[in-house]
Amino acid sequence: MPRSGEGVDGMGLFSNLFGDKATSDAASNANDNTKGAPAAVEAAAAEPIANLAEPAVVPVEALCPVPGSAIDIANVADQVFASKAMGDGIGIKPTSGELVAPFSGTVEALFPTGHALAIKHESGVGVMLHIGIDTVEMNGEGFTAHVAQGDHVEQGQLLVTFDRDKIAAAGYDDTTMVIAAEVPVDRTLTACEPGPVSAGQCVLSFA
């Protein structure tokens, strides 16, 4: 799309549905050890303190959880998701009935019917995966969860299998939402462009 911005705490909404002292001491010691020393020595002594800067943020990528065709989230046929009330992201019209983990992390929430779950990365990034529109009404028919809430999962691990034919026969849309439910304040979100997406492809980037 690409678009950037802070996320919302969608994990909280989903759940409702179910060192300064060290730096100061280092500076004090450096000053004590360089009293009366030439300016060049003082500069050298101060250099390690300058190197205490925060490390650069390492980007986190959410890889495609199900192959298909990506859709701008604003164009999905569900106003709650289209309005980004649950967070920004994308929709995917799937060509497979297997949903896999977009990154390694912990299953923070798993809907009892198996059609939706949320995964949190160790960086604090959280993604919600929601299979279909109004598929909660199927009461779990056609959905099989292969993980449990609290499980640690690896990127690419099978999370849920779903019967696309059964979803269609029940009259529901199987578009799968990939939502940035939690975006730490030091990160921005960029979503992939609409179009074909496949396993291993980045669909959401948190930089």
Side-chain angles (χ1 to χ4, degrees), residues 178-198:
V178 185
I179 302 298
E182 286 187 300
V183 183
V185 294
D186 61 343
R187 293 179 182 273
T188 55
L189 168 69
T190 302
C192 71
E193 295 287 345
V197 288
S198 57

Side-chain angles (χ1 to χ4, degrees), residues 8-158:
V8 298
D9 187 3
M11 291 288 198
L13 294 174
F14 189 91
S15 297
N16 288 336
L17 293 176
F18 335 80
D20 293 334
K21 183 178 184 301
T23 303
S24 176
D25 290 346
S28 177
N29 290 338
N31 289 335
D32 290 342
N33 293 335
T34 58
K35 286 180 180 178
V41 175
E42 290 183 5
E47 186 175 350
I49 298 173
N51 290 337
L52 293 177
E54 289 293 323
V57 173
V58 177
V60 174
E61 292 187 341
L63 304 187
C64 179
V66 63
S69 183
I71 307 167
D72 190 308
I73 195 65
N75 295 328
V76 301
D78 184 312
Q79 187 55 34
V80 173
F81 289 107
S83 67
K84 303 181 185 179
M86 300 297 284
D88 203 349
I90 62 166
I92 298 177
K93 185 63 179 176
T95 55
S96 165
E98 294 188 345
L99 186 77
V100 303
F103 47 55
S104 299
T106 302
V107 179
E108 289 281 291
L110 174 64
F111 210 86
T113 56
H115 78 287
L117 72 162
I119 298 177
K120 191 167 186 175
H121 188 268
E122 63 180 3
S123 67
V125 166
V127 168
M128 181 193 303
L129 305 173
H130 189 286
I131 304 167
I133 296 173
D134 294 330
T135 46
V136 64
E137 303 295 338
M138 295 181 67
N139 295 314
E141 278 292 317
F143 298 88
T144 302
H146 299 277
V147 294
Q149 187 166 322
D151 284 358
H152 176 81
V153 295
E154 296 297 327
Q155 189 278 318
Q157 181 175 334
L158 182 63

Side-chain angles (χ1 to χ4, degrees), residues 147-172:
V147 294
Q149 187 166 322
D151 284 358
H152 176 81
V153 295
E154 296 297 327
Q155 189 278 318
Q157 181 175 334
L158 182 63
L159 302 174
V160 178
T161 50
F162 55 101
D163 190 326
R164 297 177 58 230
D165 290 336
K166 187 169 287 189
I167 292 172
Y172 296 106

